[in-house]
Amino acid sequence: MTAKTKVDKVLEGHKFAKRDKLIPILQEIQTADGYISKEAVSKVAQHLSVPASKIYGVATFYNQFRFKPLGKYHVTVCRGTACHVKGSLSALKIAEDALKIKAGDTTRDGLFSIGVVVCMGACGLAPVVNINGEFHAKITGTKMKNLIDTLKTSEKANAK
Amino acid sequence: MLNIEVNGRKITAKEGDTILQALTRAGIKVPTLCYLEGMLPSGACRMCVVEVAGAPSLIPSCSFPAAEGMKIKTNTPQVLEARKTIVELLLSNHPDDCLYCIRGGDCDLQRLAKENGVRHRVFRGARTKRAKDVSSPALVRDPEKCILCGKCVRVCEEVQGVSAIDFIQRGSNTFIGTAYNSGLNVSSCINCGQCVLVCPTGALAERSYVDEVLKALNTPGKTVVVQHAPAVSVSIAEEFNMKPGTDIDGKMVAGLRRVGFKKVFDTSFTADLTIMEEGSELVKRATGGGVLPMFTSCSPGWIKFVEQFYPELIPNLSTCKSPQQMMGALIKTFFAQREKINPADIISVSIMPCTAKKFEAARPELGRDYASDVDYVLTTRELAELFRVTGVDPSALEPETPDTPFGERSGAGKIFGASGGVMEAAIRSAYFLITGSELKDYNIQELRGMKGCKELRVKAGKIELGAAVVSSLGQARKLIEEIKAGRSDLQFIEVMTCPGGCINGGGQPLRANMDAIKARMSALHQIDKDAPLRVSHKNTQVKRLYEEFLGAPLSHKSHELLHTHYTKRDVLR
């Protein structure tokens, strides 16, 4: 239920908004909720009198929007030029294989999600990975695997 | 008048014409793909490019205004090469299975490839695998065959005001889909099939039940009966290379018998019955303080539209079932009793100009004993296929008449197929119901024609009614918004989902231009004009049905069999 009220709150801030406010509204919802839910699309559709298919079309056009809730640990892999040259693609692949999801997805247990950004502005430390706001520099395949494994084991320990 | 030169010849164009319009009027053919007659151009496909002297590059003729003194060339090597390349690029990730495609031999992309001399695959693009959407009972979408021309998106939005589909994602990942890429069955799609009519390829098609019907026809112990809608007989001729507007009613009935149907009924009969019920309902509402304005309920796309977009207007919908469902209900009750057949052994097929009727037939509230009243709905196109598969050529047959007890029809029942027809038929009979005398002139010209919204004030005795006729749901939405804003001079409103009515339904023969639609419409009015019986309340078989079975209009039995109720529908919209 909390997700719904968050969307409502965002819409309250845009009382007389027209369709040109669609992207700012979606951005605020994503900031509040972490993703764009079906309910959110439906509510925004009613609020702006824009068909849901159009909103989904606009939202999928931009890389910034997610359609699945964030995981407890959100792994962001930088895919900017410098990071790419330094091998961020293989880091991303290793993360995807380790978690058995693709970028943009969330694991079924809701623990991990993977995202991709174009540049984090820390090219000197390439390749860069960000997990829940914490930066990890000069990522190699092994480092990536270790990061995820550590998080997994600590979660398992906590679960017990 | 503008003077322009095309390929060295002088032609004139009207002020405000696009180059394409001027060329078409002068009889110069330019290939088009994303162009939609009567709508704003999108200029997406670049198929219609021409060379204009002085222009830095090729010009898309569909979206460029003609200007005085323009020098145009439509077939220079540069133009031809550009068009060919466009087709080659479109084909680069298009499946090669034309032999098995529903549109094989009848496909705009195939035709353009042929016309532009594409003889081999030049580009080999990566094919994107995308699953077919077979979730809808009415329509099938095959995104792999889609070339992203966007016509379906435009029709769904601009004509119908539904916008069930849109472009999803971007660049080479773009595809056309519903919100959250869910199935059409849970989307706001109203199954009207207008998108099928404009789709240039096999990406959109009706869900075919030809195989099921063939199987039913060959199942021992089953009585397979068929009904055909008013708008089918004036359009199916086009599938057999006859002129648009040719009526082959009798030949089609003969053909249906050759295919193996035991009984052939005319849905126009239940259209007459609808008028008796709906007319009585209108008089009752108007005199007894019922909910007004009353909307007609014959068009299943419109019904779903109200259920999901305007649930507050459900009380305004006539409770009458559509003619198809009335016929279905009568076949499995009255006809079954009369012929002493177990209703479970009757397979009821209907031939409709409509894809939404497939959805309607499957509505649980419109069946009985956990079975549908109408088992299979075939579109006009599917009937043509059924004829071809079984080797029946209707044009070669002697005309026959439909079967009793549901074979007689009035001209009023026949014009149900054209926008304004239900209203015209209703006024003819309501006038009689109220005043006891007949209208002087049965022809109500104000309600005819292709205009999206037609209005008329009718006086019958002491009652005066404001009547409106709208076709296409975009028009319906406009009128509803006016009513919600306080307009109160309308009491009876006919709504047809498709522009022009059933003659332009989503199940009708493809590639009909505006002239063909108009020809179909005037064919219906001609049939009405020539009909010996022109009003529903004089249909003797309808009268007999009331005497022997139903009692009177709006009787308990009528309510049980011929009326229904609708409920709010939740979709992602």
mmCIF file of all heavy atoms in Angstrom, chain B residues 519-564:
data_model
loop_
_atom_site.group_PDB
_atom_site.id
_atom_site.type_symbol
_atom_site.label_atom_id
_atom_site.label_comp_id
_atom_site.label_asym_id
_atom_site.label_seq_id
_atom_site.Cartn_x
_atom_site.Cartn_y
_atom_site.Cartn_z
ATOM 1 N N ALA B 519 -19.995 2.746 -51.832
ATOM 2 C CA ALA B 519 -20.760 1.854 -52.720
ATOM 3 C C ALA B 519 -21.502 0.808 -51.896
ATOM 4 O O ALA B 519 -22.655 0.482 -52.165
ATOM 5 C CB ALA B 519 -19.819 1.194 -53.726
ATOM 6 N N ARG B 520 -20.814 0.270 -50.860
ATOM 7 C CA ARG B 520 -21.471 -0.720 -50.000
ATOM 8 C C ARG B 520 -22.679 -0.086 -49.317
ATOM 9 O O ARG B 520 -23.743 -0.701 -49.210
ATOM 10 C CB ARG B 520 -20.504 -1.221 -48.928
ATOM 11 C CG ARG B 520 -19.351 -2.066 -49.458
ATOM 12 C CD ARG B 520 -18.396 -2.379 -48.308
ATOM 13 N NE ARG B 520 -17.146 -2.988 -48.753
ATOM 14 C CZ ARG B 520 -16.076 -3.080 -47.981
ATOM 15 N NH1 ARG B 520 -16.093 -2.613 -46.749
ATOM 16 N NH2 ARG B 520 -14.985 -3.660 -48.438
ATOM 17 N N MET B 521 -22.479 1.170 -48.857
ATOM 18 C CA MET B 521 -23.564 1.841 -48.147
ATOM 19 C C MET B 521 -24.755 2.067 -49.076
ATOM 20 O O MET B 521 -25.899 1.754 -48.732
ATOM 21 C CB MET B 521 -23.071 3.169 -47.585
ATOM 22 C CG MET B 521 -24.094 3.867 -46.710
ATOM 23 S SD MET B 521 -23.492 5.441 -46.107
ATOM 24 C CE MET B 521 -23.000 5.045 -44.446
ATOM 25 N N SER B 522 -24.498 2.585 -50.285
ATOM 26 C CA SER B 522 -25.648 2.854 -51.156
ATOM 27 C C SER B 522 -26.294 1.548 -51.602
ATOM 28 O O SER B 522 -27.500 1.529 -51.874
ATOM 29 C CB SER B 522 -25.283 3.757 -52.341
ATOM 30 O OG SER B 522 -23.982 3.556 -52.745
ATOM 31 N N ALA B 523 -25.522 0.457 -51.658
ATOM 32 C CA ALA B 523 -26.137 -0.829 -51.989
ATOM 33 C C ALA B 523 -27.190 -1.193 -50.946
ATOM 34 O O ALA B 523 -28.281 -1.661 -51.280
ATOM 35 C CB ALA B 523 -25.070 -1.914 -52.075
ATOM 36 N N LEU B 524 -26.861 -0.983 -49.664
ATOM 37 C CA LEU B 524 -27.827 -1.297 -48.601
ATOM 38 C C LEU B 524 -29.081 -0.434 -48.736
ATOM 39 O O LEU B 524 -30.201 -0.918 -48.603
ATOM 40 C CB LEU B 524 -27.199 -1.075 -47.221
ATOM 41 C CG LEU B 524 -26.230 -2.148 -46.727
ATOM 42 C CD1 LEU B 524 -25.727 -1.789 -45.342
ATOM 43 C CD2 LEU B 524 -26.897 -3.516 -46.685
ATOM 44 N N HIS B 525 -28.879 0.866 -49.023
ATOM 45 C CA HIS B 525 -30.039 1.746 -49.151
ATOM 46 C C HIS B 525 -30.880 1.373 -50.378
ATOM 47 O O HIS B 525 -32.100 1.513 -50.364
ATOM 48 C CB HIS B 525 -29.589 3.207 -49.196
ATOM 49 C CG HIS B 525 -29.111 3.706 -47.859
ATOM 50 N ND1 HIS B 525 -27.956 4.405 -47.686
ATOM 51 C CD2 HIS B 525 -29.641 3.553 -46.619
ATOM 52 C CE1 HIS B 525 -27.785 4.691 -46.395
ATOM 53 N NE2 HIS B 525 -28.788 4.175 -45.732
ATOM 54 N N GLN B 526 -30.214 0.904 -51.437
ATOM 55 C CA GLN B 526 -30.947 0.471 -52.628
ATOM 56 C C GLN B 526 -31.800 -0.759 -52.302
ATOM 57 O O GLN B 526 -32.961 -0.841 -52.698
ATOM 58 C CB GLN B 526 -29.945 0.160 -53.757
ATOM 59 C CG GLN B 526 -30.587 -0.042 -55.130
ATOM 60 C CD GLN B 526 -31.383 1.191 -55.579
ATOM 61 O OE1 GLN B 526 -30.943 2.332 -55.381
ATOM 62 N NE2 GLN B 526 -32.561 0.984 -56.151
ATOM 63 N N ILE B 527 -31.215 -1.711 -51.559
ATOM 64 C CA ILE B 527 -31.963 -2.914 -51.178
ATOM 65 C C ILE B 527 -33.201 -2.517 -50.380
ATOM 66 O O ILE B 527 -34.302 -3.016 -50.609
ATOM 67 C CB ILE B 527 -31.078 -3.863 -50.343
ATOM 68 C CG1 ILE B 527 -29.923 -4.394 -51.190
ATOM 69 C CG2 ILE B 527 -31.902 -5.033 -49.786
ATOM 70 C CD1 ILE B 527 -28.848 -5.083 -50.385
ATOM 71 N N ASP B 528 -33.010 -1.561 -49.458
ATOM 72 C CA ASP B 528 -34.123 -1.085 -48.635
ATOM 73 C C ASP B 528 -35.194 -0.447 -49.513
ATOM 74 O O ASP B 528 -36.390 -0.702 -49.361
ATOM 75 C CB ASP B 528 -33.595 -0.079 -47.608
ATOM 76 C CG ASP B 528 -34.707 0.664 -46.871
ATOM 77 O OD1 ASP B 528 -35.659 -0.003 -46.439
ATOM 78 O OD2 ASP B 528 -34.614 1.890 -46.735
ATOM 79 N N LYS B 529 -34.735 0.357 -50.478
ATOM 80 C CA LYS B 529 -35.669 1.064 -51.362
ATOM 81 C C LYS B 529 -36.503 0.071 -52.159
ATOM 82 O O LYS B 529 -37.701 0.268 -52.368
ATOM 83 C CB LYS B 529 -34.847 1.966 -52.297
ATOM 84 C CG LYS B 529 -35.647 3.112 -52.887
ATOM 85 C CD LYS B 529 -34.750 4.004 -53.737
ATOM 86 C CE LYS B 529 -35.578 4.685 -54.814
ATOM 87 N NZ LYS B 529 -34.731 5.125 -55.931
ATOM 88 N N ASP B 530 -35.862 -1.010 -52.621
ATOM 89 C CA ASP B 530 -36.548 -1.994 -53.462
ATOM 90 C C ASP B 530 -37.330 -3.017 -52.657
ATOM 91 O O ASP B 530 -38.051 -3.838 -53.229
ATOM 92 C CB ASP B 530 -35.532 -2.736 -54.341
ATOM 93 C CG ASP B 530 -34.814 -1.788 -55.293
ATOM 94 O OD1 ASP B 530 -35.351 -0.682 -55.517
ATOM 95 O OD2 ASP B 530 -33.734 -2.144 -55.792
ATOM 96 N N ALA B 531 -37.162 -3.016 -51.322
ATOM 97 C CA ALA B 531 -37.775 -4.072 -50.521
ATOM 98 C C ALA B 531 -39.293 -3.911 -50.483
ATOM 99 O O ALA B 531 -39.792 -2.791 -50.340
ATOM 100 C CB ALA B 531 -37.215 -4.039 -49.102
ATOM 101 N N PRO B 532 -40.025 -5.029 -50.608
ATOM 102 C CA PRO B 532 -41.480 -4.942 -50.503
ATOM 103 C C PRO B 532 -41.912 -4.560 -49.086
ATOM 104 O O PRO B 532 -42.934 -3.919 -48.879
ATOM 105 C CB PRO B 532 -41.952 -6.353 -50.862
ATOM 106 C CG PRO B 532 -40.766 -7.230 -50.685
ATOM 107 C CD PRO B 532 -39.556 -6.379 -50.908
ATOM 108 N N LEU B 533 -41.097 -4.956 -48.120
ATOM 109 C CA LEU B 533 -41.412 -4.692 -46.716
ATOM 110 C C LEU B 533 -40.335 -3.758 -46.180
ATOM 111 O O LEU B 533 -39.155 -4.063 -46.247
ATOM 112 C CB LEU B 533 -41.378 -6.026 -45.958
ATOM 113 C CG LEU B 533 -41.538 -5.974 -44.455
ATOM 114 C CD1 LEU B 533 -42.943 -5.556 -44.094
ATOM 115 C CD2 LEU B 533 -41.224 -7.336 -43.868
ATOM 116 N N ARG B 534 -40.736 -2.597 -45.659
ATOM 117 C CA ARG B 534 -39.709 -1.624 -45.276
ATOM 118 C C ARG B 534 -39.708 -1.266 -43.807
ATOM 119 O O ARG B 534 -38.883 -0.470 -43.359
ATOM 120 C CB ARG B 534 -39.839 -0.359 -46.127
ATOM 121 C CG ARG B 534 -39.566 -0.636 -47.604
ATOM 122 C CD ARG B 534 -39.394 0.632 -48.381
ATOM 123 N NE ARG B 534 -38.241 1.403 -47.952
ATOM 124 C CZ ARG B 534 -37.993 2.632 -48.377
ATOM 125 N NH1 ARG B 534 -38.831 3.228 -49.194
ATOM 126 N NH2 ARG B 534 -36.931 3.278 -47.952
ATOM 127 N N VAL B 535 -40.621 -1.807 -43.032
ATOM 128 C CA VAL B 535 -40.637 -1.489 -41.599
ATOM 129 C C VAL B 535 -40.654 -2.776 -40.776
ATOM 130 O O VAL B 535 -41.297 -3.760 -41.138
ATOM 131 C CB VAL B 535 -41.851 -0.611 -41.225
ATOM 132 C CG1 VAL B 535 -41.656 0.802 -41.717
ATOM 133 C CG2 VAL B 535 -43.123 -1.211 -41.757
ATOM 134 N N SER B 536 -39.932 -2.724 -39.642
ATOM 135 C CA SER B 536 -39.749 -3.921 -38.823
ATOM 136 C C SER B 536 -41.052 -4.442 -38.244
ATOM 137 O O SER B 536 -41.262 -5.646 -38.142
ATOM 138 C CB SER B 536 -38.777 -3.617 -37.690
ATOM 139 O OG SER B 536 -37.588 -3.067 -38.198
ATOM 140 N N HIS B 537 -41.966 -3.519 -37.849
ATOM 141 C CA HIS B 537 -43.170 -3.973 -37.151
ATOM 142 C C HIS B 537 -44.149 -4.696 -38.068
ATOM 143 O O HIS B 537 -45.151 -5.213 -37.617
ATOM 144 C CB HIS B 537 -43.848 -2.796 -36.439
ATOM 145 C CG HIS B 537 -44.180 -1.650 -37.345
ATOM 146 N ND1 HIS B 537 -43.310 -0.615 -37.567
ATOM 147 C CD2 HIS B 537 -45.265 -1.391 -38.097
ATOM 148 C CE1 HIS B 537 -43.851 0.250 -38.402
ATOM 149 N NE2 HIS B 537 -45.044 -0.205 -38.750
ATOM 150 N N LYS B 538 -43.883 -4.725 -39.380
ATOM 151 C CA LYS B 538 -44.767 -5.459 -40.286
ATOM 152 C C LYS B 538 -44.170 -6.800 -40.707
ATOM 153 O O LYS B 538 -44.744 -7.506 -41.538
ATOM 154 C CB LYS B 538 -45.060 -4.611 -41.518
ATOM 155 C CG LYS B 538 -46.074 -3.510 -41.253
ATOM 156 C CD LYS B 538 -46.562 -2.929 -42.555
ATOM 157 C CE LYS B 538 -47.499 -1.771 -42.319
ATOM 158 N NZ LYS B 538 -47.555 -0.910 -43.515
ATOM 159 N N ASN B 539 -43.003 -7.135 -40.166
ATOM 160 C CA ASN B 539 -42.374 -8.418 -40.494
ATOM 161 C C ASN B 539 -43.247 -9.549 -39.937
ATOM 162 O O ASN B 539 -43.407 -9.698 -38.723
ATOM 163 C CB ASN B 539 -40.971 -8.452 -39.874
ATOM 164 C CG ASN B 539 -40.200 -9.698 -40.253
ATOM 165 O OD1 ASN B 539 -40.765 -10.772 -40.417
ATOM 166 N ND2 ASN B 539 -38.884 -9.555 -40.385
ATOM 167 N N THR B 540 -43.854 -10.347 -40.844
ATOM 168 C CA THR B 540 -44.842 -11.344 -40.393
ATOM 169 C C THR B 540 -44.200 -12.432 -39.537
ATOM 170 O O THR B 540 -44.816 -12.926 -38.593
ATOM 171 C CB THR B 540 -45.548 -12.004 -41.591
ATOM 172 O OG1 THR B 540 -44.554 -12.417 -42.522
ATOM 173 C CG2 THR B 540 -46.519 -11.037 -42.250
ATOM 174 N N GLN B 541 -42.946 -12.790 -39.847
ATOM 175 C CA GLN B 541 -42.309 -13.833 -39.036
ATOM 176 C C GLN B 541 -41.957 -13.316 -37.641
ATOM 177 O O GLN B 541 -41.986 -14.067 -36.672
ATOM 178 C CB GLN B 541 -41.074 -14.384 -39.752
ATOM 179 C CG GLN B 541 -41.466 -15.242 -40.947
ATOM 180 C CD GLN B 541 -40.279 -15.902 -41.615
ATOM 181 O OE1 GLN B 541 -39.162 -15.893 -41.092
ATOM 182 N NE2 GLN B 541 -40.504 -16.485 -42.777
ATOM 183 N N VAL B 542 -41.651 -12.018 -37.546
ATOM 184 C CA VAL B 542 -41.429 -11.428 -36.222
ATOM 185 C C VAL B 542 -42.732 -11.451 -35.436
ATOM 186 O O VAL B 542 -42.774 -11.832 -34.261
ATOM 187 C CB VAL B 542 -40.875 -9.988 -36.339
ATOM 188 C CG1 VAL B 542 -40.906 -9.275 -34.988
ATOM 189 C CG2 VAL B 542 -39.456 -10.003 -36.883
ATOM 190 N N LYS B 543 -43.835 -11.057 -36.117
ATOM 191 C CA LYS B 543 -45.140 -11.077 -35.456
ATOM 192 C C LYS B 543 -45.468 -12.479 -34.961
ATOM 193 O O LYS B 543 -45.938 -12.667 -33.832
ATOM 194 C CB LYS B 543 -46.215 -10.615 -36.443
ATOM 195 C CG LYS B 543 -46.303 -9.113 -36.623
ATOM 196 C CD LYS B 543 -47.532 -8.799 -37.479
ATOM 197 C CE LYS B 543 -47.564 -7.357 -37.910
ATOM 198 N NZ LYS B 543 -48.538 -7.165 -39.005
ATOM 199 N N ARG B 544 -45.217 -13.466 -35.825
ATOM 200 C CA ARG B 544 -45.528 -14.847 -35.444
ATOM 201 C C ARG B 544 -44.695 -15.289 -34.246
ATOM 202 O O ARG B 544 -45.178 -15.991 -33.357
ATOM 203 C CB ARG B 544 -45.267 -15.793 -36.621
ATOM 204 C CG ARG B 544 -46.556 -16.373 -37.187
ATOM 205 C CD ARG B 544 -46.275 -17.357 -38.292
ATOM 206 N NE ARG B 544 -45.650 -18.594 -37.820
ATOM 207 C CZ ARG B 544 -45.123 -19.500 -38.649
ATOM 208 N NH1 ARG B 544 -45.145 -19.299 -39.960
ATOM 209 N NH2 ARG B 544 -44.591 -20.598 -38.177
ATOM 210 N N LEU B 545 -43.423 -14.875 -34.254
ATOM 211 C CA LEU B 545 -42.549 -15.231 -33.136
ATOM 212 C C LEU B 545 -43.109 -14.686 -31.828
ATOM 213 O O LEU B 545 -43.096 -15.375 -30.800
ATOM 214 C CB LEU B 545 -41.140 -14.677 -33.377
ATOM 215 C CG LEU B 545 -40.088 -14.999 -32.325
ATOM 216 C CD1 LEU B 545 -39.741 -16.483 -32.341
ATOM 217 C CD2 LEU B 545 -38.830 -14.179 -32.524
ATOM 218 N N TYR B 546 -43.627 -13.452 -31.862
ATOM 219 C CA TYR B 546 -44.232 -12.880 -30.664
ATOM 220 C C TYR B 546 -45.488 -13.655 -30.267
ATOM 221 O O TYR B 546 -45.694 -13.962 -29.095
ATOM 222 C CB TYR B 546 -44.559 -11.390 -30.875
ATOM 223 C CG TYR B 546 -43.378 -10.484 -30.603
ATOM 224 C CD1 TYR B 546 -42.808 -9.707 -31.604
ATOM 225 C CD2 TYR B 546 -42.823 -10.420 -29.322
ATOM 226 C CE1 TYR B 546 -41.712 -8.891 -31.353
ATOM 227 C CE2 TYR B 546 -41.731 -9.603 -29.062
ATOM 228 C CZ TYR B 546 -41.173 -8.839 -30.076
ATOM 229 O OH TYR B 546 -40.093 -8.037 -29.815
ATOM 230 N N GLU B 547 -46.315 -13.998 -31.268
ATOM 231 C CA GLU B 547 -47.551 -14.724 -30.956
ATOM 232 C C GLU B 547 -47.262 -16.106 -30.386
ATOM 233 O O GLU B 547 -47.840 -16.518 -29.380
ATOM 234 C CB GLU B 547 -48.411 -14.862 -32.223
ATOM 235 C CG GLU B 547 -49.208 -13.605 -32.550
ATOM 236 C CD GLU B 547 -49.637 -13.587 -34.020
ATOM 237 O OE1 GLU B 547 -49.706 -14.667 -34.639
ATOM 238 O OE2 GLU B 547 -49.899 -12.479 -34.527
ATOM 239 N N GLU B 548 -46.330 -16.818 -31.014
ATOM 240 C CA GLU B 548 -46.123 -18.216 -30.634
ATOM 241 C C GLU B 548 -45.199 -18.387 -29.437
ATOM 242 O O GLU B 548 -45.242 -19.406 -28.754
ATOM 243 C CB GLU B 548 -45.524 -18.998 -31.819
ATOM 244 C CG GLU B 548 -46.498 -19.233 -32.940
ATOM 245 C CD GLU B 548 -45.833 -19.951 -34.108
ATOM 246 O OE1 GLU B 548 -44.709 -20.498 -33.921
ATOM 247 O OE2 GLU B 548 -46.430 -19.969 -35.197
ATOM 248 N N PHE B 549 -44.320 -17.437 -29.208
ATOM 249 C CA PHE B 549 -43.233 -17.720 -28.270
ATOM 250 C C PHE B 549 -42.975 -16.610 -27.255
ATOM 251 O O PHE B 549 -42.989 -16.844 -26.053
ATOM 252 C CB PHE B 549 -41.960 -18.002 -29.079
ATOM 253 C CG PHE B 549 -40.801 -18.534 -28.268
ATOM 254 C CD1 PHE B 549 -40.910 -19.734 -27.566
ATOM 255 C CD2 PHE B 549 -39.596 -17.841 -28.214
ATOM 256 C CE1 PHE B 549 -39.844 -20.229 -26.832
ATOM 257 C CE2 PHE B 549 -38.529 -18.335 -27.482
ATOM 258 C CZ PHE B 549 -38.656 -19.530 -26.789
ATOM 259 N N LEU B 550 -42.766 -15.375 -27.757
ATOM 260 C CA LEU B 550 -42.281 -14.333 -26.851
ATOM 261 C C LEU B 550 -43.384 -13.568 -26.132
ATOM 262 O O LEU B 550 -43.139 -12.968 -25.094
ATOM 263 C CB LEU B 550 -41.406 -13.338 -27.622
ATOM 264 C CG LEU B 550 -40.080 -13.867 -28.173
ATOM 265 C CD1 LEU B 550 -39.468 -12.838 -29.107
ATOM 266 C CD2 LEU B 550 -39.109 -14.215 -27.065
ATOM 267 N N GLY B 551 -44.577 -13.581 -26.700
ATOM 268 C CA GLY B 551 -45.651 -12.777 -26.112
ATOM 269 C C GLY B 551 -45.649 -11.395 -26.725
ATOM 270 O O GLY B 551 -46.127 -11.194 -27.827
ATOM 271 N N ALA B 552 -45.051 -10.438 -26.027
ATOM 272 C CA ALA B 552 -45.009 -9.073 -26.548
ATOM 273 C C ALA B 552 -43.614 -8.507 -26.308
ATOM 274 O O ALA B 552 -42.852 -9.055 -25.520
ATOM 275 C CB ALA B 552 -46.044 -8.223 -25.818
ATOM 276 N N PRO B 553 -43.273 -7.402 -26.999
ATOM 277 C CA PRO B 553 -41.985 -6.762 -26.713
ATOM 278 C C PRO B 553 -41.865 -6.428 -25.225
ATOM 279 O O PRO B 553 -42.851 -6.037 -24.595
ATOM 280 C CB PRO B 553 -42.029 -5.482 -27.557
ATOM 281 C CG PRO B 553 -42.949 -5.801 -28.674
ATOM 282 C CD PRO B 553 -43.979 -6.730 -28.112
ATOM 283 N N LEU B 554 -40.675 -6.607 -24.674
ATOM 284 C CA LEU B 554 -40.365 -6.354 -23.262
ATOM 285 C C LEU B 554 -41.113 -7.294 -22.309
ATOM 286 O O LEU B 554 -41.203 -7.035 -21.114
ATOM 287 C CB LEU B 554 -40.650 -4.897 -22.866
ATOM 288 C CG LEU B 554 -40.007 -3.790 -23.705
ATOM 289 C CD1 LEU B 554 -40.322 -2.427 -23.097
ATOM 290 C CD2 LEU B 554 -38.504 -3.970 -23.803
ATOM 291 N N SER B 555 -41.650 -8.412 -22.838
ATOM 292 C CA SER B 555 -42.301 -9.396 -21.970
ATOM 293 C C SER B 555 -41.244 -10.101 -21.113
ATOM 294 O O SER B 555 -40.038 -9.910 -21.310
ATOM 295 C CB SER B 555 -43.034 -10.432 -22.809
ATOM 296 O OG SER B 555 -42.073 -11.236 -23.483
ATOM 297 N N HIS B 556 -41.710 -10.916 -20.173
ATOM 298 C CA HIS B 556 -40.781 -11.634 -19.319
ATOM 299 C C HIS B 556 -39.843 -12.509 -20.150
ATOM 300 O O HIS B 556 -38.631 -12.545 -19.955
ATOM 301 C CB HIS B 556 -41.564 -12.493 -18.328
ATOM 302 C CG HIS B 556 -40.672 -13.291 -17.432
ATOM 303 N ND1 HIS B 556 -39.910 -12.705 -16.443
ATOM 304 C CD2 HIS B 556 -40.377 -14.612 -17.399
ATOM 305 C CE1 HIS B 556 -39.195 -13.633 -15.837
ATOM 306 N NE2 HIS B 556 -39.462 -14.799 -16.398
ATOM 307 N N LYS B 557 -40.423 -13.211 -21.116
ATOM 308 C CA LYS B 557 -39.633 -14.104 -21.970
ATOM 309 C C LYS B 557 -38.621 -13.306 -22.803
ATOM 310 O O LYS B 557 -37.467 -13.720 -22.966
ATOM 311 C CB LYS B 557 -40.578 -14.876 -22.882
ATOM 312 C CG LYS B 557 -39.927 -16.024 -23.580
ATOM 313 C CD LYS B 557 -40.689 -17.297 -23.343
ATOM 314 C CE LYS B 557 -39.792 -18.490 -23.479
ATOM 315 N NZ LYS B 557 -40.474 -19.718 -23.137
ATOM 316 N N SER B 558 -39.065 -12.161 -23.321
ATOM 317 C CA SER B 558 -38.140 -11.310 -24.081
ATOM 318 C C SER B 558 -36.963 -10.905 -23.211
ATOM 319 O O SER B 558 -35.805 -10.953 -23.631
ATOM 320 C CB SER B 558 -38.840 -10.036 -24.548
ATOM 321 O OG SER B 558 -39.767 -10.315 -25.537
ATOM 322 N N HIS B 559 -37.266 -10.508 -21.984
ATOM 323 C CA HIS B 559 -36.201 -10.075 -21.092
ATOM 324 C C HIS B 559 -35.215 -11.190 -20.843
ATOM 325 O O HIS B 559 -34.008 -10.986 -20.815
ATOM 326 C CB HIS B 559 -36.792 -9.552 -19.773
ATOM 327 C CG HIS B 559 -36.985 -8.072 -19.805
ATOM 328 N ND1 HIS B 559 -35.936 -7.189 -19.819
ATOM 329 C CD2 HIS B 559 -38.095 -7.315 -19.864
ATOM 330 C CE1 HIS B 559 -36.382 -5.959 -19.882
ATOM 331 N NE2 HIS B 559 -37.710 -6.004 -19.917
ATOM 332 N N GLU B 560 -35.759 -12.375 -20.698
ATOM 333 C CA GLU B 560 -34.909 -13.533 -20.419
ATOM 334 C C GLU B 560 -33.966 -13.830 -21.586
ATOM 335 O O GLU B 560 -32.791 -14.108 -21.397
ATOM 336 C CB GLU B 560 -35.829 -14.725 -20.205
ATOM 337 C CG GLU B 560 -35.321 -15.770 -19.241
ATOM 338 C CD GLU B 560 -36.444 -16.746 -18.958
ATOM 339 O OE1 GLU B 560 -36.535 -17.730 -19.716
ATOM 340 O OE2 GLU B 560 -37.248 -16.499 -18.035
ATOM 341 N N LEU B 561 -34.496 -13.737 -22.802
ATOM 342 C CA LEU B 561 -33.731 -14.189 -23.963
ATOM 343 C C LEU B 561 -33.048 -13.058 -24.728
ATOM 344 O O LEU B 561 -31.973 -13.257 -25.291
ATOM 345 C CB LEU B 561 -34.650 -14.937 -24.934
ATOM 346 C CG LEU B 561 -35.204 -16.265 -24.440
ATOM 347 C CD1 LEU B 561 -36.172 -16.828 -25.453
ATOM 348 C CD2 LEU B 561 -34.074 -17.250 -24.194
ATOM 349 N N LEU B 562 -33.667 -11.908 -24.772
ATOM 350 C CA LEU B 562 -33.202 -10.879 -25.711
ATOM 351 C C LEU B 562 -32.542 -9.683 -25.036
ATOM 352 O O LEU B 562 -32.056 -8.787 -25.704
ATOM 353 C CB LEU B 562 -34.372 -10.379 -26.575
ATOM 354 C CG LEU B 562 -35.220 -11.457 -27.254
ATOM 355 C CD1 LEU B 562 -36.336 -10.815 -28.060
ATOM 356 C CD2 LEU B 562 -34.379 -12.353 -28.150
ATOM 357 N N HIS B 563 -32.557 -9.665 -23.708
ATOM 358 C CA HIS B 563 -31.959 -8.515 -23.013
ATOM 359 C C HIS B 563 -30.827 -8.989 -22.111
ATOM 360 O O HIS B 563 -30.755 -10.154 -21.745
ATOM 361 C CB HIS B 563 -33.019 -7.768 -22.197
ATOM 362 C CG HIS B 563 -34.024 -7.069 -23.067
ATOM 363 N ND1 HIS B 563 -34.051 -5.711 -23.255
ATOM 364 C CD2 HIS B 563 -35.035 -7.568 -23.816
ATOM 365 C CE1 HIS B 563 -35.039 -5.404 -24.081
ATOM 366 N NE2 HIS B 563 -35.659 -6.501 -24.432
ATOM 367 N N THR B 564 -29.975 -8.042 -21.739
ATOM 368 C CA THR B 564 -28.840 -8.390 -20.880
ATOM 369 C C THR B 564 -28.395 -7.151 -20.105
ATOM 370 O O THR B 564 -28.969 -6.087 -20.252
ATOM 371 C CB THR B 564 -27.673 -8.951 -21.713
ATOM 372 O OG1 THR B 564 -26.638 -9.370 -20.828
ATOM 373 C CG2 THR B 564 -27.104 -7.887 -22.654
#
